[in-house]
Amino acid sequence: MVDVCLFIDPLRDFLEVGGRYCELFGEEQTVHVREAGAHINDLYTHCRRTGIKVVLVTSIYARDEFEGVPNLCVSNEGREFAVQGVDNSSIDEDIMVVTKYKNSVIHSDRTDELLDLIRTNHILICGVTTTSCIQHCVFDLADCCASVSLGLNAVGCRLTKTAERQHVLDRFGTNPQVSVHDTWEEAVGIGVAGTHNKSHDAKV
């Protein structure tokens, strides 16, 4: 049973057509990220309806911090959440908002609170992107003894069919703390539940 859902970087810079990510890589290259955004919206609605704890994670990076990805998540507007139902000017008090400063959420302004939360609960992670922040968050939280699930339809990546993404998915499948599902619906128990450790079976 999923108790807590971490939404990693569902931000305007990533998920909007006019966002910085699309500007950097082109609309054709980033369509998978935005498709994941639609599933992220549905998952957020489900969490709010069923009482799953929501943790919204945003990022603050220095300009030109990442080679090849200049000025991503450096503007206030770009760091706003692009999730339907989230009012950036007045986020509900029961939602935990975390700001991370590196790829992993353990480098954040609320690390201790977050680790206390995840150690006693089953975590579902969604967001962007598979080969960057998602993989770092998954492995770091699993190393902290968290039980972590992913629903791949709510995890976006520009590199949808490359060996790099496949390598990350394969690593997820070999970690006993991590369960990989084709969809977030399966991860929370909607429809036919199922997990797999062979990521080549995943619908990426």
Side-chain angles (χ1 to χ4, degrees):
M1 177 180 177
V2 172
D3 305 294
V4 180
C5 186
L6 269 65
F7 292 76
I8 307 297
D9 291 339
L11 310 176
R12 296 182 66 180
D13 257 5
F14 284 105
L15 299 182
E16 293 187 351
V17 173
R20 182 66 179 146
Y21 201 69
C22 185
E23 180 182 329
L24 287 167
F25 298 113
E27 185 172 349
E28 183 178 347
Q29 290 281 326
T30 56
V31 64
H32 187 264
V33 171
R34 298 198 311 280
E35 286 176 350
H39 293 289
I40 289 169
N41 289 335
D42 292 340
L43 174 55
Y44 175 82
T45 299
H46 174 81
C47 290
R48 300 302 283 160
R49 185 175 64 246
T50 59
I52 294 174
K53 176 71 174 179
V54 170
V55 180
L56 295 175
V57 181
T58 186
S59 299
I60 295 180
Y61 298 135
R63 290 186 179 274
D64 301 319
E65 180 166 349
F66 300 108
E67 183 179 356
V69 192
N71 301 332
L72 185 65
C73 299
V74 298
S75 72
N76 290 332
E77 182 177 340
R79 289 194 299 265
E80 289 183 347
F81 296 108
V83 180
Q84 289 181 5
V86 174
D87 181 355
N88 284 281
S89 65
S90 181
I91 294 176
D92 293 342
E93 292 183 359
D94 62 325
I95 293 176
M96 185 176 183
V97 179
V98 174
T99 300
K100 63 182 178 65
Y101 306 102
K102 298 292 182 182
N103 285 330
S104 175
V105 73
I106 67 168
H107 303 289
S108 75
D109 61 341
R110 303 181 71 176
T111 299
D112 291 341
E113 293 173 75
L114 183 62
L115 292 180
D116 286 343
L117 179 67
I118 63 99
R119 285 191 180 112
T120 58
N121 291 288
H122 186 92
I123 310 302
L124 176 62
I125 290 181
C126 69
V128 293
T129 66
T130 311
T131 55
S132 184
C133 295
I134 295 295
Q135 72 158 321
H136 288 283
C137 290
V138 168
F139 290 126
D140 283 348
L141 294 182
D143 285 345
C144 295
C145 298
S147 177
V148 180
S149 290
L150 291 101
L152 294 180
N153 64 341
V155 178
C157 187
R158 180 175 66 94
L159 306 169
T160 54
K161 298 185 183 301
T162 65
E164 183 179 355
R165 185 176 195 244
Q166 191 61 52
H167 175 68
V168 173
L169 295 176
D170 288 340
R171 289 184 64 207
F172 288 161
T174 61
N175 191 311
Q177 293 294 114
V178 180
S179 58
V180 180
H181 304 256
D182 289 337
T183 69
W184 71 260
E185 289 91 343
E186 290 178 356
V188 301
I190 297 175
V192 179
T195 63
H196 55 77
N197 288 328
K198 294 182 179 179
S199 60
H200 65 261
D201 292 331
K203 300 172 183 176
V204 297

